[in-house]
Amino acid sequence: MSLALDLVVASRTLAEHGVIDAYGHASARSDTDPQRYYMARNLAPELVTEADIVELDLDSKPVAATGHALYNERFIHGEIYKARPDVQAIVHNHSHAVVPFSCTGCELKPIFHMAAFVGLGIPTWDIRDAQRGTDMLVRTAALGEHLARKLGKHPAVLMRGHGSTVVAENLQRAVGRTIYLDVNARMQLDAAQLAGGQRNIVFMDDAEVAANVSWQNYERSWELWKRKALAKLAAERG
Ligand SMILES: [Zn+2]
């Protein structure tokens, strides 16, 4: 399966899980040129087909002329690919469950095994540290570079009052992490309500996190998501 088709599957899967709606986007580094990456043109992710996938350089400029508009926030992707040679896939999203953790000082912690990667640490980026008075969107390379610096070596970064950006060594892991980051946020809020605060929640410890993240690749999930997305795509094409 081509990387373009994988991106179609990723976009539709993230939309189906309500993690991205008409906004948010997934990308994958080119498997033939690490100085380039693929993402959809400016389109609701649920509508993306292979024909909508555009190739960009790491300055987030399209490699070939395209008559289509591109995502305003594509600089998130290009600048992270520059800063993190290990990253092969990125998802930027506005998960409603995650945003409250971006603006309250309440730290996201790994509450269950499918989101063990949360235990690797998720910093929060405040766009005001880079520029004041923005519309909150990462519309420039300078803002993208600033965000990439806050991400550092971590698997994700929260963006205050906006959402998050999740990275991984492959696309299925980036998609899985994004979906389970959203689930983790909801579970953590539920647990805090049950327990009367975060103090009484037992989170995964560092050894458990390390034992899980070494292998967790969301493979069974990816096979399922792929089959469902491709079936839907085939039905649309009649
Ligand atoms: Zn955004």
Side-chain angles (χ1 to χ4, degrees), residues 120-133:
L120 298 175
I122 302 183
T124 299
W125 179 68
D126 190 329
I127 195 167
R128 282 182 300 200
D129 293 339
Q131 188 181 334
R132 300 192 77 83

Side-chain angles (χ1 to χ4, degrees), residues 63-83:
V63 170
T66 169
H68 298 296
L70 302 172
Y71 290 126
N72 291 320
E73 295 196 287
R74 61 190 182 280
F75 301 101
I76 293 171
H77 302 255
E79 296 305 313
I80 289 175
Y81 287 126
K82 276 185 201 169

Side-chain angles (χ1 to χ4, degrees), residues 33-68:
D33 184 347
Q35 298 301 310
R36 293 179 179 183
Y37 70 96
Y38 297 104
M39 78 186 310
R41 67 184 175 90
N42 191 335
L43 184 71
E46 214 168 340
L47 304 176
V48 169
T49 68
E50 277 175 284
D52 301 309
I53 304 299
V54 180
E55 190 176 14
L56 301 126
D57 64 22
L58 297 193
D59 289 328
S60 299
K61 295 191 180 95
V63 170
T66 169
H68 298 296

Side-chain angles (χ1 to χ4, degrees), residues 73 92 94 137 162:
E73 295 196 287
H92 169 61
H94 304 158
L137 302 187
H162 180 167

Side-chain angles (χ1 to χ4, degrees), residues 105-138:
C106 291
E107 194 186 345
L108 268 172
K109 292 184 181 173
I111 201 162
F112 83 138
H113 63 107
M114 296 302 287
F117 76 96
V118 172
L120 298 175
I122 302 183
T124 299
W125 179 68
D126 190 329
I127 195 167
R128 282 182 300 200
D129 293 339
Q131 188 181 334
R132 300 192 77 83
T134 65
D135 63 1
M136 307 297 279
L137 302 187
V138 180

Side-chain angles (χ1 to χ4, degrees), residues 5-223:
L5 197 52
D6 279 345
L7 274 172
V8 173
V9 170
S11 302
R12 287 165 175 255
T13 298
L14 290 161
E16 195 190 315
H17 283 79
V19 181
I20 55 180
D21 44 23
Y23 301 95
H25 20 80
S27 73
R29 195 191 288 273
S30 166
D31 43 3
T32 55
D33 184 347
Q35 298 301 310
R36 293 179 179 183
Y37 70 96
Y38 297 104
M39 78 186 310
R41 67 184 175 90
N42 191 335
L43 184 71
E46 214 168 340
L47 304 176
V48 169
T49 68
E50 277 175 284
D52 301 309
I53 304 299
V54 180
E55 190 176 14
L56 301 126
D57 64 22
L58 297 193
D59 289 328
S60 299
K61 295 191 180 95
V63 170
T66 169
H68 298 296
L70 302 172
Y71 290 126
N72 291 320
E73 295 196 287
R74 61 190 182 280
F75 301 101
I76 293 171
H77 302 255
E79 296 305 313
I80 289 175
Y81 287 126
K82 276 185 201 169
R84 288 280 299 270
D86 59 312
V87 166
Q88 301 299 319
I90 300 171
V91 177
H92 169 61
N93 71 94
H94 304 158
S95 153
H96 298 177
V98 169
V99 169
F101 289 88
S102 76
C103 55
T104 53
C106 291
E107 194 186 345
L108 268 172
K109 292 184 181 173
I111 201 162
F112 83 138
H113 63 107
M114 296 302 287
F117 76 96
V118 172
L120 298 175
I122 302 183
T124 299
W125 179 68
D126 190 329
I127 195 167
R128 282 182 300 200
D129 293 339
Q131 188 181 334
R132 300 192 77 83
T134 65
D135 63 1
M136 307 297 279
L137 302 187
V138 180
R139 291 180 180 273
T140 65
L143 287 170
E145 193 267 334
H146 201 274
L147 173 70
R149 251 188 290 147
K150 178 59 85 171
L151 169 70
K153 295 283 176 207
H154 297 98
V157 58
L158 303 192
M159 301 157 76
R160 195 263 307 164
H162 180 167
S164 72
T165 297
V166 180
V167 305
E169 301 82 349
N170 59 58
L171 188 56
Q172 71 190 57
R173 190 178 274 198
V175 172
R177 283 178 169 180
T178 303
I179 289 170
Y180 285 105
L181 184 67
D182 174 82
V183 175
N184 196 98
R186 281 187 272 129
M187 282 187 175
Q188 195 172 328
L189 182 60
D190 288 347
Q193 282 170 344
L194 276 175
Q198 300 229 79
R199 278 192 318 281
N200 300 319
I201 302 174
V202 179
F203 293 103
M204 292 175 70
D205 65 28
D206 290 347
E208 289 166 340
V209 167
N212 190 289
V213 295
S214 59
W215 64 268
Q216 183 57 269
N217 219 17
Y218 305 100
E219 265 153 28
R220 204 189 305 169
S221 304
W222 181 248
E223 288 309 310

